[in-house]
Structures are given as C-alpha cells and as structure tokens.
Amino acid sequence: MYRILPIESDKNTIILPYHSELAAELSGGQELLLEYGQKTRSVHVNRSIELEENHLLVPADVLKELKIPLTSAYCLRVEQNKLIIGPYIGILADLSGEVLAELVTTLSSFLTYYHRIGGTIVAFALDGVNTKNQEIQGYIYEPETKAWIPGTYTYPASVLSITEASLTDKWDDFIKVMLHFKQGLGSAVFNYPIFSKWDMYKLLKPRYDNHLPETKVYVAPQTIKEMIEKHQTIYIKPIHGRLGRYIFQAEKSSSGYTIRYKMKRKPKVRLYRTEKSFLLFFQKLIDPGDYLIQATIPLMRHNQSLIDFRVMMAKNHQGDWQTSGIFARYGASGSIVSNITAGGRAELADKTLKKVWKLNNKQISEVKQTITELCRNVIAVIEAEGYHCGNIGVDIGIDQDLSVSIIEINNQNPDPYIAKRAKRSPEFYKHRYLNMMYAKKLAGF
C-alpha cells in the first residue's frame, strides 16, 4: 500500500517512485485522471528515483479538491487513462446522524483487519447525504488512532447498507438515496434492493416449494380461516417485520382458537370459543396486504424452547459466497419465536445437532452441507432477479426427521452478533471482514 504525501506545487503533477511496479505502467509526463471515490482530477505523471517505493506525492490543491485523507494507506490501480486511489468504502449505518454519532465507534468491528483492507472507510447516515452537492456528512476511520473523525466528505466508490429502513417513515427517502447511489455506482451498492418475506416466497416457490411452509398474504379474515382449517397451527407475520416483533401464533383445537403473541415484551394468550370472535380479533388488528399467513413448521423444542438455525453468509474478496457460521437459536421458554432479541439464546449448530438430534460428527457434517448447499442455491435464484446481496442471514427450520425448511432470508441487516451470543467472536469478526473485503472488490480493489 502507498502513503500519500502532499507537495506544494503549481505544476499539477503527481510523483511516483521510479522503480515501483506502478511507475512501470506509466510513462513520465503522461496525462491521466486521478480518481478517488466518484471524483477525478486531471494530472501529469512524473517519476523520482529518490522517492521511497511506497510513497506517492500529490499536489496539495489536488488533495484538497478530491478531499483525500492522508491518515490512511492506499492501494493504487491503473485502468486505461486513470490512476485510481482506494479503496474508498461507504457504510450506510443508520437513518439519523444523531443516532450514528452514538453508535459510530461500534462500527470499528468492521475494521479489526483494517491492515488488509486499507483505504478510506466512511460511515454515514441517510440524513447526511447531500444529493445536490454529492457530499456526505459522516465519520472517516483513522487507522492510527482508531478514531472516527467527523466531517463532510465526497461520495465513496462502493456502499454497504446496514441501515434498517423498512419499518420506518424514512423508507421512501431510503429508496431515493439508494437509487441515487446506484445511478453513480451501479453494482457497487449492496445490500440493495431489499426483499420482503413475500418477495422471497414468490421467488423461491417455483423451484423450492418443498422447502417452504405454505404462505399467503392476508387479504381478509377468510385467508386466516382457510389456512387454520388446513394446517391447524399457523403464524401471522408482518411482511416487512424483523426481530420477532408483531408475530402471532394461532392454533385450532377442540376447545376453540388460541392466539399467542407478545405485547410490550410480555407474553399474551387469548382463547376464543367461536370462529367469528377469533377472526374478529385479527380483523380489528391487522390491515390487508400487511401480513403473511404461514403454516407452522414442526420445529424441535428443547426444555420448552423452540429451536431454529441462523446461517451467516457473506461474499468474500473474490465475490464468492462463504459461510461464516451456522448457529442454533433457542427461543425463550414457551416463546413462539426463537429470536435472540426476544429473549432467546444461541450456540454453535454442531452442539445442538449433537445434543438435541443425537447426531454423530459425520451426520452433523452432512446436515450442515445440506443446509449450506440449499442456502447457496436459493440465494442464486434471488440474485438472478436483480437483488444485489453480499451479506445474508438465512433462518432454517429442521424437524425431528431432519427435513430442512427455509423460514426467512434477511438481506437488510443480518447482524452477525449471534456469533458473539454463542461465544464465538472469531466468526463475528470474520463475517464483518468478509463484508469489507467484498466492498473493497466493488470499489475496484
């Protein structure tokens, strides 16, 4: 990597080490475009025998115009008539700059292996994007001090989105900004577009129906009536919901209809003796088109805890999918969901498959291979429809007979923090590292 040093010069000339590999690709006096992020400046090239091999001299006024920080080490790449400085990676980390100011230090977890990533990393919020001036208010990571420096910066060369806009009033603003970035960056923007549970179901059903619980969009109480008559036990979930929130489980039995859910973090149970009163509960509560009705997957339980699995997947520096971890999630005792945020816990999948399913090492390896292959195949189907994923969380259900079902796929912000909850920090940092290396690839390095 190169260190960029400023020089006071009015000649508009950058100076490279004479014996560097980069200098061999360029000729003295050559005119080219110096590119950083989405900005360029025309410069001439000169070479110096006295300059250290990993240094690049750039006129101060050029650095000022391109707004290149001098605290980072950079990769340099020649592409046609351009010398590209990078990588310059953006992390869209929140909707609000005020919230970002409080959480920005937590983003250092993406940069544990910064020495392998290099370049500029800028974290910013949705409300910090100035589309008119093509600038962002945000924070640049300073590797020597490991601090985040606030300021106004130019647009990056790639953008990783980890913000959660789908359940907020900022959704339309988010879409506008992401489309704006895509106009300038094309495929260097991920994870975007975002797909809903229903989008996922429609995409996968033609080829993977046997791995999906039957699912319908709620259009009227009749939808719930038909599904509970057919399956006896169903889930009612918001199409764009996350973290196990606003989910209902309904069960039909000889005594009536039982509904289980959470209200203000407290479990609630309602029993309705008649079909009419049962359906009226949902008619008053949910709007047509906002919820899915899903057949219940016969998941295993252990000590009254529901068990499913989270598969953490990320693209690596080559753009290939890599599994960074498979974890079992145990719901809180008696809970209808397994989410960690709803009081659940996590452990390595191997441990659960051995303890609960009583599998040996060979069988565990075979189950994990089946899960991984299924995940890769369904992601390929989704990406073929134009969804640019690079960071994915796949929720998998396994019944007592080892039949595998896809519960949900999250590409909005599948936080790998589950690895830490399972006391597997290396997998957490590995996943963050993969995210950054894929962003580096998209930035041209």
Side-chain angles (χ1 to χ4, degrees):
M1 292 189 189
Y2 285 78
R3 282 287 175 184
I4 297 176
L5 302 175
I7 52 171
E8 295 299 330
S9 171
D10 57 1
K11 294 183 179 180
N12 204 37
T13 299
I14 62 171
I15 304 175
L16 294 165
Y18 190 87
H19 294 293
S20 66
E21 290 183 13
L22 196 64
E25 298 183 58
L26 302 168
S27 57
Q30 178 180 346
E31 184 178 1
L32 50 69
L33 290 176
L34 190 65
E35 181 176 289
Y36 173 72
Q38 295 185 53
K39 296 195 74 173
T40 59
R41 168 75 180 261
S42 179
V43 296
H44 289 87
V45 177
N46 204 346
R47 295 174 289 182
S48 170
I49 199 168
E50 297 176 356
L51 189 62
E52 289 186 36
E53 189 171 340
N54 62 339
H55 285 172
L56 170 68
L57 301 184
V58 179
D61 68 311
V62 175
L63 292 172
K64 184 177 180 180
E65 181 181 334
L66 298 182
K67 295 188 176 180
I68 302 175
L70 301 180
T71 53
S72 302
Y74 293 96
C75 302
L76 302 179
R77 183 169 65 87
V78 177
E79 182 182 285
Q80 297 178 343
N81 197 41
K82 291 191 296 186
L83 176 60
I84 304 171
I85 298 174
Y88 183 11
I89 299 167
I91 303 174
L92 177 54
D94 206 88
L95 302 174
S96 159
E98 187 176 343
V99 175
L100 177 62
E102 297 177 1
L103 65 80
V104 68
T105 55
T106 66
L107 301 177
S108 297
S109 61
F110 283 96
L111 303 170
T112 303
Y113 303 102
Y114 173 82
H115 62 283
R116 299 178 189 171
I117 304 164
T120 303
I121 315 297
V122 61
F124 63 101
L126 187 68
D127 63 6
V129 181
N130 186 326
T131 56
K132 182 179 180 180
N133 296 337
Q134 296 204 353
E135 292 180 332
I136 49 180
Q137 292 281 342
Y139 299 81
I140 276 184
Y141 182 73
E142 191 174 80
E144 290 184 6
T145 62
K146 298 185 178 179
W148 291 87
I149 311 302
T152 301
Y153 304 104
T154 59
Y155 278 3
S158 68
V159 173
L160 158 64
S161 173
I162 60 169
T163 192
E164 299 176 15
S166 62
L167 295 177
T168 74
D169 59 1
K170 300 295 183 183
W171 175 249
D172 289 341
D173 294 336
F174 171 76
I175 296 296
K176 289 177 184 176
V177 167
M178 294 305 283
L179 287 174
H180 170 73
F181 278 134
K182 277 185 69 68
Q183 286 176 353
L185 294 174
S187 61
V189 178
F190 76 111
N191 295 312
Y192 181 82
I194 293 167
F195 53 83
S196 69
K197 296 180 181 73
W198 183 237
D199 294 328
M200 181 208 80
Y201 184 79
K202 289 186 296 181
L203 288 170
L204 301 184
K205 190 177 189 304
R207 291 178 59 182
Y208 294 98
D209 186 47
N210 59 323
H211 291 288
L212 297 167
E214 184 180 4
T215 303
K216 292 185 177 181
V217 174
Y218 174 78
V219 293
Q222 182 68 20
T223 318
I224 294 177
K225 178 183 177 180
E226 291 173 357
M227 286 290 282
I228 203 164
E229 287 289 340
K230 184 175 182 180
H231 299 287
Q232 306 303 306
T233 305
I234 58 174
Y235 276 83
I236 298 96
K237 302 177 177 182
I239 287 179
H240 295 287
R242 285 196 66 240
L243 307 176
R245 296 171 182 165
Y246 316 116
I247 292 178
F248 302 87
Q249 184 194 58
E251 181 179 0
K252 181 182 179 181
S253 66
S254 58
S255 57
Y257 300 85
T258 304
I259 304 172
R260 296 180 176 86
Y261 60 101
K262 269 194 173 184
M263 183 69 71
K264 296 180 179 179
R265 297 181 177 247
K266 293 183 178 179
K268 301 285 184 180
V269 180
R270 288 176 178 262
L271 176 63
Y272 292 95
R273 299 292 183 184
T274 67
E275 181 185 272
K276 183 178 180 181
S277 59
F278 163 68
L279 295 177
L280 188 61
F281 171 83
F282 289 107
Q283 188 174 1
K284 290 179 177 179
L285 198 64
I286 63 178
D287 294 324
D290 288 348
Y291 273 72
L292 295 179
I293 316 302
Q294 190 175 79
T296 297
I297 298 169
L299 299 176
M300 291 280 278
R301 285 186 178 269
H302 182 69
N303 295 332
Q304 299 302 309
S305 291
L306 205 62
I307 303 172
D308 65 17
F309 296 81
R310 164 59 64 94
V311 184
M312 291 167 26
M313 301 189 74
K315 284 183 179 173
N316 58 25
H317 196 204
Q318 288 71 46
D320 299 323
W321 283 105
Q322 197 168 326
T323 303
S324 53
I326 304 178
F327 297 93
R329 302 189 302 184
Y330 291 74
S333 181
S335 175
I336 63 170
V337 296
S338 63
N339 300 71
I340 306 300
T341 53
R345 64 182 181 86
E347 70 180 16
L348 206 61
D350 302 57
K351 188 174 181 180
T352 297
L353 290 170
K354 185 174 184 178
K355 175 176 62 182
V356 180
W357 274 263
K358 310 300 182 185
L359 304 185
N360 58 38
N361 291 340
K362 182 176 182 294
Q363 292 169 320
I364 290 170
S365 179
E366 290 171 351
V367 169
K368 287 169 62 180
Q369 184 176 348
T370 297
I371 291 172
T372 301
E373 288 180 0
L374 176 62
C375 289
R376 288 177 183 273
N377 291 338
V378 299
I379 291 171
V381 171
I382 290 169
E383 288 204 295
E385 295 298 321
Y387 294 94
H388 186 184
C389 306
N391 183 31
I392 283 282
V394 185
D395 294 339
I396 293 290
I398 303 178
D399 66 17
Q400 63 179 3
D401 299 319
L402 296 177
S403 294
V404 176
S405 298
I406 301 165
I407 301 171
E408 185 179 338
I409 302 177
N410 177 11
N411 79 320
Q412 184 169 208
N413 180 25
D415 193 335
Y417 193 73
I418 186 173
K420 283 202 165 188
R421 293 297 294 265
K423 299 180 180 179
R424 301 286 300 190
S425 289
E427 282 89 339
F428 171 80
Y429 291 110
K430 173 186 177 182
H431 192 89
R432 293 289 210 211
Y433 170 66
L434 289 172
N435 290 161
M436 296 307 293
M437 292 303 287
Y438 183 54
K440 180 176 181 176
K441 170 186 170 61
L442 296 180
F445 295 91

